[in-house]
Amino acid sequence: MSITMDTTLASLVTNKRRVSALKSLGIVTVGDALTYYPFRVTEPVPLRTIREAAPGQQMAFAAVIRDMRVVPMNARRGYRLEATVDDADFARSRRVPGSTARLTFFSYRKSYVDWVSMRLRAGTSVVVSGMPSEYMGQLQFTHPEILTVAPGSAGTGAGLEGYARGAASGNGAFAGSTDPYASAQSAYPPAAAAPSGAALKYDADTVQEALTRVCRPRPVYHASSRISSEHIHETILGLLWMMGARTSSTPDGQLAGAGAAGIVAPTTDTIAVQNGEEKSGTTAESGAEALSQSIPDVLPESVRKAKNLMHRAEAFLAIHDPASTARFKESIETLRYEEAFVSQTSLLKARSHAHKSAAHSCPLVTDSLRDQFIASLPFSLTAGQQQVIHDIAADLAHDWPMQRLLQGEVGSGKTVVALAAMLQAVDAGYQAVLVAPTQVLAEQHAETIGRMVEQLKPAIPVTLLTGGMKLAARRKALAAASSGEPGIIVATHAAFSKTFQAPHLALVVIDEQHRFGVEQRESLNAKTDDGTTPHLLVMTATPIPRTAAMTWFGDLDISWLTELPGGRKPIRTVVVNEADAATMGRMFAHIRARVDTGERAYIVCPRIDADDEENEGGSGVSAAAGSARGRAAASGSSARTAAGGRATRAAADAIGIDDPYETFDENGETVARPPLHAVAEIADRLQKLPQFQGIRFATLTGRDKDDVKTQVMADFAGGETPILVSTTVIEVGVDVKQASCIVIFDADRYGLSQLHQLRGRVGRGGTNSWAFLISRAEPGSPAEQRLEVIHHSLDGAEIAQADLEFRGAGDVLGDAQSGGKSSLKLLRVVKDADMIADARTRAEQLLAADPELAGEVQLAGAVLDFTRGNETFLTSS
């Protein structure tokens, strides 16, 4: 059976529970497994005899079980298992007197104790790795790692005696050295079967193999309660063997050839299909060659050699079976550069393709509608707005499509800039569409734009099209668009439907682009009747560091609006520990006082109701959906879970944290955290507080219908319900000038940029404003450190940079929110800016010589996969 990166694990792994557990981590294919990178690698464990042991220092040694006993712990329930080990033979090989130590295990489960007892029978050869301590004057190892070694019946090296003889003759892999991999390069495979007729299975065939296994650096993976890091590693090594790996990667930069110890074949109770060539005389050289054929290189050979990088197959092997920590880091750098090169090649091709398309030229005319509009404004444009409007005007005059990203803080005047661009298109006789992510925001835009253009001559038709409109109004709006009459259309996702046609469409403006995928945007290209591509202006208030934007969004021209309009006062940000009842009480009293003066308050919770977690079959963290996916039903795309799998649409609507910070223990397993607060729960609790007696509350979530959302927001703005308890549906586009307070529960679980966005909902009317971040973070924890950043800063770019550094670019701008199988898992957009710049330069040179990548088939495929996987160019952070 030919195994490729696209082969499914279900066809290879016999243990279906393991297949299911891996699927929950987003690992479905061989490629998913090989690119499920460990988050750290353990340091090599030194070999020491028992006499050389130092309490508190990790060590490994070989020994024989002398005796074993199980002691019931009546007072504490459960059992204590004690085994005495003797390292006389191992110590002799190191010219040190032998000694004994005690191995101790505790458990409430009798089945576990019985299993350990069966493995540690008297006379069994074992290799022990652990941290020694002293108890009642004797050296003790508590819950050490134990590998059992098959009895020494196969000659030299098969058991402890054979190992000692080999060491004494100078042939032992570890003889006279504390370097456990001086000459042994074998990986540690799944457990080897016991000799025929034996009831037990042994972990290793030889002491050498077992010592190599416990002493070598070991990759540690993010695991879960369903599958351990060790089992993930075991599966990946089995897959590498099946693809042809017979030896580990060696420090000289090549796949090891003959003479190096090999990766042992996985047993058939783990892997269903095995490559039978090994038994028919396959050499190590052909095995290494087979792995390279199964995993072809993506980088062009010239680039790889110029950068002195590994072959891709070699890098995978060195990551998952590292001979040293230095080798591990070298392989990570290789694949990190590969990601940079593929991403930049993809962006450069997209940019080149756009410039080859045809677009309607929209040059400025004398006494233009745009100039009339600017002159009618009751305020002067900032210098930044004037510059961006000038740049866009030049772009629109070209006969190829503009692709520009406009980034600016909330309130920086992006709408005015967008309207100036749309009026330039209308003046040229074409249609312009503004696409907003929610009905509330679309209605606000339509009302604002209609008011701004009502004095212009000739009159400009402004058409509103949303999915929540009544049928008659919707048909009228669709007819106006399909007529081709010059004008402005403000729409929600309805603009992507097949029924929407705009034959003279010249400009598309997308507000908060992270809500729309590439396929949706490209569907607008088909709306024209002449095959032209509309000019594209995408806007975001999501702060993105300049270096990240310039390197990651390389297919777009980028404009920044950094000046804020006058009159806005700084928002006072307060971090409140939820356990501090006194401070919580004062906060609620403060909110009541502000409401009594005619102001409004938002209360934000990450979940809709208390049952959301249980419905998802896991914690609220692991089921949390990306806000870029469909927070408040804003998008029809599937949500990406924090664990790397997929969440249901219900989860996307129910949980509004954009990408919760997972916490892991040292073994890579997720740490349980308190359940997230829910809108229904908090609304019920707050209405019962004495501070809010007589105050009407409203709730707003992504499950509410569009007409309900509109009515709730109208009542909130009008003061009938001055306190709104909601999910993060208010994050974008809600503009209530009387809102002066916002309370965000579970603030320690949000991304910093998302907190900054939510905070921007208050203080929009020039009043004093407050943001209260309710946290359950432990003192001194990373979560508390993150909140300190937003506590002390109102600078969106500074906050976004901190968010990238805390979370990693893969979470903020790549895989965790891509909505697909992103290729970006290792690249750090900010920290690796120089690497990305180098990759971009080399990609430009390659594309100049071979624009279609005809000579680089593997790279072309990787670029295509990358483009499909990263269908969200901007993400909500």
Side-chain angles (χ1 to χ4, degrees), residues 3-5 30 34 239-245 287 290-291 294-295:
I3 300 173
T4 69
M5 298 285 278
V30 172
L34 296 186
L239 295 172
L240 285 169
W241 187 93
M242 296 172 65
M243 297 179 80
L291 183 62
S294 299
I295 308 174

Side-chain angles (χ1 to χ4, degrees), residues 452-531:
M452 286 180 163
V453 303
E454 61 184 358
Q455 303 299 326
L456 302 183
K457 302 296 182 183
I460 307 298
V462 178
T463 305
L464 175 66
L465 176 64
T466 71
M469 297 174 69
K470 295 185 181 301
L471 183 59
R474 181 180 174 84
R475 285 177 174 172
K476 183 178 179 180
L478 289 171
S482 62
S483 70
E485 179 187 3
I488 295 172
I489 303 162
V490 182
T492 57
H493 286 74
F496 304 123
S497 69
K498 294 181 179 179
T499 56
F500 174 73
Q501 295 296 327
H504 293 163
L505 182 60
L507 173 64
V508 175
V509 179
I510 295 184
D511 193 15
E512 294 302 330
Q513 188 208 0
H514 58 269
R515 302 297 183 89
F516 306 105
V518 170
E519 292 177 1
Q520 290 175 313
R521 294 205 320 263
E522 290 184 346
S523 72
L524 291 173
N525 295 343
K527 307 300 182 184
T528 59
D529 59 355
D530 52 10

Side-chain angles (χ1 to χ4, degrees), residues 40 47 66 100 146 150 178 186 306 372 404 413 705:
R40 69 180 177 91
L47 280 181
R66 291 306 179 205
T100 61
I146 302 288
T178 57
S186 64
Q372 288 183 48
R404 184 170 291 274
K705 295 182 179 179

